[in-house]
């Protein structure tokens, strides 16, 4: 199973389950920016205890998905994963919290045609901010390079006021400034 087939399969399952989600992480940065190889998917999901049976049903056959872990994700650290038994690829599910940035990101999500499927995805601005925020928590050249790749491709269409507002609130203003001035560039391959 290719990474694209894996993504299509996961998106179809979430759509059938009726769970509100947004695609984020490396696949979202691939959509908006300079693609790179990835071995997992990241979804932020609006999730409640009532959503659990539908999710478990949709992922029952081909995925290892631990029901107690799914139920435990309704409390910190608000995360669970599913492992595809066919390919060993992983899906990380992040439960939407009451954090203002996460709520804004979820409200701004876009419905796009991604690999032929109707998919809810984080905006380019939110992908950049999210990547830089994660880099501030766990420094990683990959996060910064992904953000720079999205910026390089989407630069002319980005809402810079939105980027600067949230960068200040997330504590990543210096990195946004460096992106805007070209001091941070995408990794060349």
């Amino acid at each position: 199973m290719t990474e694209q087939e894996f993504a299509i399969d996961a998106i179809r399952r979430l759509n059938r389950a009726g769970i509100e989600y947004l695609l984020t992480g490396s696949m979202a940065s691939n959509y908006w920016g300079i693609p790179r190889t990835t071995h997992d998917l990241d979804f932020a999901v609006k999730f409640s205890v009532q959503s659990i049976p539908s999710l478990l049903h949709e992922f029952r056959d081909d995925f290892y998905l631990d029901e107690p872990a799914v139920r435990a994700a309704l409390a910190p650290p608000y995360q669970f994963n599913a492992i595809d038994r066919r390919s060993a690829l992983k899906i990380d599910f992040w439960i939407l919290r009451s954090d203002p940035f996460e709520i804004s990101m979820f409200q701004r999500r876009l419905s796009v045609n991604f690999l032929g499927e109707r998919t809810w995805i984080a905006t380019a601005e939110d992908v950049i901010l999210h990547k830089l925020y994660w880099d501030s928590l766990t420094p990683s050249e990959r996060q910064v390079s992904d953000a720079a790749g999205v910026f390089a491709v989407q630069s002319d269409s980005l809402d810079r006021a939105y980027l600067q507002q949230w960068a200040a609130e997330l504590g990543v203003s210096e990195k946004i400034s460096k992106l805007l001035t070209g001091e941070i560039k995408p990794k060349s391959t």
Side-chain angles (χ1 to χ4, degrees):
M1 169 174 284
T2 68
E3 293 167 355
Q4 288 185 350
E5 291 167 331
F6 176 60
I8 291 166
D9 182 48
I11 290 163
R12 285 179 178 163
R13 290 171 192 261
L14 284 171
N15 287 337
R16 284 193 307 259
I19 293 172
E20 292 182 72
Y21 69 90
L22 69 84
L23 179 64
T24 189
S26 56
M27 277 297 202
S29 64
N30 284 351
Y31 178 83
W32 293 113
I34 299 170
R36 69 167 170 86
T37 302
T38 183
H39 298 290
D40 70 344
L41 293 173
D42 294 290
F43 291 99
V45 292
K46 199 173 197 179
F47 204 69
S48 67
V49 71
Q50 292 82 11
S51 306
I52 293 172
S54 181
L55 180 85
L56 292 171
H57 176 76
E58 282 302 327
F59 286 84
R60 73 191 176 282
D61 295 329
D62 299 314
F63 287 82
Y64 174 74
L65 185 60
D66 184 58
E67 183 175 353
V70 173
R71 291 185 182 284
L74 294 169
Y78 302 106
Q79 189 269 340
F80 65 94
N81 56 50
I83 307 294
D84 181 31
R85 294 172 197 212
R86 301 160 295 179
S87 65
L89 295 171
K90 180 178 71 152
I91 302 172
D92 289 321
F93 292 98
W94 303 90
I95 308 298
L96 180 67
R97 299 174 302 142
S98 60
D99 174 83
F101 175 67
E102 288 186 24
I103 291 169
S104 174
M105 186 168 61
F106 209 83
Q107 289 171 339
R108 289 171 37 89
R109 70 193 172 134
L110 300 172
S111 178
V112 300
N113 182 331
F114 180 73
L115 303 173
E117 294 297 319
R118 261 299 123 213
T119 305
W120 290 99
I121 191 167
T123 66
E125 294 89 354
D126 290 326
V127 171
I128 289 169
L129 290 162
H130 200 246
K131 289 282 185 179
L132 294 179
Y133 177 69
W134 272 99
D135 178 67
S136 72
L137 298 175
T138 307
S140 164
E141 182 183 324
R142 183 171 283 176
Q143 300 287 358
V144 174
S145 184
D146 284 350
V150 174
F151 183 80
V153 173
Q154 301 297 325
S155 178
D156 293 339
S157 62
L158 293 171
D159 182 341
R160 291 170 187 243
Y162 179 85
L163 283 171
Q164 290 174 327
Q165 171 205 337
W166 279 107
E169 294 191 38
L170 295 170
V172 296
S173 291
E174 184 177 333
K175 289 177 186 169
I176 284 292
S177 293
K178 287 181 177 181
L179 260 177
L180 295 174
T181 61
E183 289 180 60
I184 296 177
K185 296 185 181 330
K187 184 178 178 184
S188 58
T189 56

